[in-house]
Amino acid sequence: MTTEKDVFHLEAKNLRKLFSVKEGFFGHPKAIRALDGISIGVEKGTTLGIVGESGCGKTTLGRILCLLETPSEGTILYDGKEVQNLKGKKLKEFRREVQIIFQDPYASLDPRMTVSEILREPFIIHGEWKNDGQTRLLKLADKCGIAKSHLSRYPHEFSGGQRQRVGIARALALNPKLVVCDEPVSALDVSIQAQILNLLKDLQKELGLTYIFISHDFSVVRHLCDKIAVMYLGKIVEFALADEIFSNPQHPYTEALLSAIPLPDPEKQKQRSRIILSGDIPSPLSPPQGCSFHPRCRYAEDSCRRDVPLLKETSPNHQVACPVLPLDRAKISP
Amino acid sequence: MPPVLSISNLKVSFSSDEGPIGAVENLNYSLNANQTLAIVGESGSGKSVHALSILRLLPPSPYCKTEGEILFHGKNLLDLPIKEMRKTRGNKIAMVFQEPMTSLNPVLTIGEQIAEPLMIHKGKSRSEALKEAARLLDRVGIPDAKRRLSNYPHQFSGGMRQRAMIAMALSCNPEILIADEPTTALDVTIQAQILELIKELQKEFQMAVILITHNIGIVADMADQMIVMYAGRAVEAASMTSLFKRPSHPYTRGLLSAIPSPDSKKDRLESIPGRPPDLKNKPRGCPFAPRCPEVQARCWENDPPSFDLGDGHLSNCWLLEKQ
Ligand SMILES: Nc1ncnc2c1ncn2[C@@H]1O[C@H](COP(=O)(O)OP(=O)(O)OP(=O)(O)O)[C@@H](O)[C@H]1O
Ligand SMILES: Nc1ncnc2c1ncn2[C@@H]1O[C@H](COP(=O)(O)OP(=O)(O)OP(=O)(O)O)[C@@H](O)[C@H]1O
Ligand code: SF4
Ligand SMILES: [Mg+2]
Ligand SMILES: [Mg+2]
């Protein structure tokens, strides 16, 4: 991390997002609290990882940061300036600089367009096709592992991983400055995954790109990220340097997550002790009182069931939202 | 006991302007009840296409041609009348698709979609089926399941959609579950829960499972047998223990060393340099030759047959000829 501390490339302050859904087949609309007071920033040229359980709000956060969705509350600062009300030319400029790689590649690619049409589109929208567009497009496709013979084909003719690479290429087409990567490699086999992660790293070195990297895969996150935020039910529960999260996980949820990473070796896998979380997974339709993790937490105390814990600095560059720290691991081991 | 599923000489090709695309070539395996077969391999190597061919969900001929035999309890699925096939699909053989959005209907609620197979195949009433749907959604870890039945797919997160699909596939207690990358969108804790659930149902109903994945960590935990695919064919097949003990094909070894490890940080990840061959005009010889670190002269000339290394461990690589 080389940049000045207090100027974030992209920063969110106190974001909240409510979705309204119908409850039951004839019921009244009810609010899903997808984001519940998220404040976070990423420094230029660095990678911020966001991990957390399915449904905890990662995609929603990513989409809001790219201005593809409006927050119910809160502000978004890009290079220190508020951006959520941008319009016209300014918005177009923002969209050019800030790109997203979508989680579901199939849903995000127009089935009626060939790959080369899909990749040409951003160049045309931003008036950059001109002379060298075609050359740039071919180079881009090659870098992202798309064979030349695939360019004239349609998305449905591809395998899942091939489609994902098209999504990645489209996001990188116009040399963006910041890319939100929503599970960009989870559909890829490990070898291609490695190629793409290496590519993302190279581009970062070359062009000083900033990434916000959403993933469930801790081993992937670890290789790429400088800092990691762990989310749980719409909130950040731990935020620290990547190495810190691995060597010194402090939140009980982070601890459980790390212990559940499958190891690529049947012998090792049998030997380790996994923390299997029990208890009800909380619902964003009716989040539990106090710490939303308490129904599944092995360490929960009375105060956890009563008060919402706030993020507190436990050491420099390490914030945790849990009142029972440090965890008394001896207390709970069987 | 005869196998539930037995595939021989399976070949799938798509036609294109520049000649046929050989997506699956000469695939052979058989699967017993209560067994789990893992299929791993390069992106684009034919894993999903092979799965879709079992359910006859590929586009029709002449655009797409499927040859060979897929025996389900001794009957060739490829010859089954459409009506019979419909009774089998989603009922006796169910599939979790790789991309949930392609198989969920955006204009139907999640509840209706899970309830549908129960009404069609098991003759349940709508309200019974919805009740069952809520129970299933709950088992795959969706909180407040009953209240979320009325949501539409776009109101679910990526991982929730994937779980809704798993619930749908499991609803009729299939004899064979084909799970195509079933947990890519799930974090490790929910992943563990889903895999446990699959194991439980497997025990309870003697379900056979085909698990397509690139997450070798999952495979290590779940599978009895494993097939490694490359460019449309199986290049190595073995029991789990044998495969991890002596990965024999250079591609398999490359794949194993490319796994990012959770307990160490490297500056660059290992990858297998190069690209898989163009499936339209595959070169002579071994399809892996252009990328193989151990390539020899004859690899360029002749396609290696499959060598038996003992205990049913098969591998298609010339290096293994003498052993
Ligand atoms: N358009 C929408 N309408 C209603 N609810 C929504 C909508 N989009 C998301 N949600 C809800 O908001 C919550 C957070 O969803 P989000 O997609 O952000 O999760 P996620 O962390 O990305 O999960 P995953 O890892 O499964 O992709 C979920 O409960 C989801 O059902
Ligand atoms: N409808 C189609 N028309 C033409 N080619 C197709 C079609 N569907 C798949 N293919 C091609 O067949 C090959 C095998 O695809 P398949 O989807 O089986 O790969 P996969 O092994 O599942 O890969 P991934 O891990 O990326 O999902 C790919 O090269 C793909 O481009
Ligand atoms: S047959 Fe030759 S090219 Fe093919 S995998 Fe073996 S050594 Fe490599
Ligand atoms: Mg998501
Ligand atoms: Mg596939």
Side-chain angles (χ1 to χ4, degrees), chain A residues 166-219:
Chain A
V166 176
I168 293 172
R170 181 179 56 184
L172 298 177
L174 295 176
N175 301 330
K177 295 193 171 153
L178 186 148
V179 185
V180 173
C181 314
D182 193 357
E183 304 280 0
V185 295
S186 57
L188 303 177
D189 66 89
V190 278
S191 169
I192 291 185
Q193 182 173 312
Q195 283 177 16
I196 296 283
L197 294 177
N198 288 339
L199 168 71
L200 290 176
K201 260 195 161 170
D202 291 346
L203 288 172
Q204 182 163 56
K205 265 191 216 138
E206 223 175 282
L207 308 165
L209 277 183
T210 307
Y211 296 122
I212 295 175
F213 196 91
I214 299 172
S215 176
H216 316 95
D217 190 339
F218 261 108
S219 15

Side-chain angles (χ1 to χ4, degrees), chain B residues 248-251 285-296 298-300 302-304 316-320:
Chain B
S248 303
H249 196 281
Y251 174 68
C286 173
F288 192 55
R291 301 170 73 187
C292 181
E294 293 161 71
V295 63
Q296 303 171 329
R298 65 171 159 178
C299 305
W300 298 101
N302 300 306
D303 201 352
N316 298 43
C317 167
W318 284 120
L319 295 175
L320 302 163

Side-chain angles (χ1 to χ4, degrees), chain A residues 32 54 142 163 186 189 216, chain B residues 43 99 148 163 185 187 275:
Chain A
I32 287 185
S54 169
D142 184 61
R163 265 197 287 273
S186 57
D189 66 89
H216 316 95
Chain B
S43 174
E99 283 156 301
R148 301 212 75 165
R163 283 176 282 161
D187 58 281
R275 293 273 168 74

Side-chain angles (χ1 to χ4, degrees), chain A residues 159-160, chain B residues 48 98 180:
Chain A
S159 78
Chain B
S48 300
Q98 186 170 11
D180 193 355

